[in-house]
Amino acid sequence: MEDYSQKYANGGKSIVFTQTKRDADSLAYAMGNKNYKCGALHGDIGQNQRERTLKRFRDGDINILIATDVAARGLDIPNVDLVLPFLFLKRSYLLAWIMLCMLPVIKLLYL
């Protein structure tokens, strides 16, 4: 995931959509442990924390927002360089294949 953000977003802002709150937390935790500036956003996050996370993302303090689609509805965030769906699959090669197939299409849709 980190490589896609660097390569296709040129280090800019990326939003990664997960299917569940647990997936959002797990991915944010894993990427945070690798020193990526990211934050999670989902329905179990309190309003104050949600606002802080969004402010940090808008201000560029974090450049990867990991969110469930429900939590991200209605957000108005300018200058997002890359939007990705993320699926937690048991076989990482299948995930890599899906992401490689989808990225050119996603990049074209959001240019």
Side-chain angles (χ1 to χ4, degrees), residues 2 4 14 20 23 30-32 34 40 43 46-47 56 66 68 82 84 88 97 100 104 108 111:
E2 308 89 31
Y4 292 115
S14 301
T20 68
D23 291 347
M31 291 180 70
K34 293 184 178 186
Q47 188 63 29
R56 291 181 66 215
I66 302 166
T68 58
L82 182 65
L84 290 171
F88 280 90
W97 182 82
L100 286 174
L108 286 175
L111 284 178

Side-chain angles (χ1 to χ4, degrees), residues 96-106:
W97 182 82
I98 289 170
M99 295 305 290
L100 286 174
C101 291
M102 293 176 70
L103 274 176
V105 173
I106 293 169

Side-chain angles (χ1 to χ4, degrees), residues 21-88:
K21 300 169 201 176
R22 184 178 297 168
D23 291 347
D25 284 337
S26 296
L27 184 58
Y29 179 79
M31 291 180 70
N33 280 341
K34 293 184 178 186
N35 297 320
Y36 286 91
K37 299 182 296 182
C38 62
L41 190 68
H42 55 70
D44 283 352
I45 293 176
Q47 188 63 29
N48 287 338
Q49 180 62 41
R50 177 184 169 93
E51 289 173 9
R52 280 194 301 270
T53 299
L54 288 172
K55 181 179 181 343
R56 291 181 66 215
F57 187 63
R58 285 187 182 107
D59 293 347
D61 295 334
I62 59 175
N63 63 342
I64 302 172
L65 182 66
I66 302 166
T68 58
D69 59 348
V70 173
R73 286 186 187 158
L75 293 181
D76 183 19
I77 302 172
N79 304 320
V80 173
D81 300 299
L82 182 65
V83 177
L84 290 171
F86 191 84
L87 304 173
F88 280 90

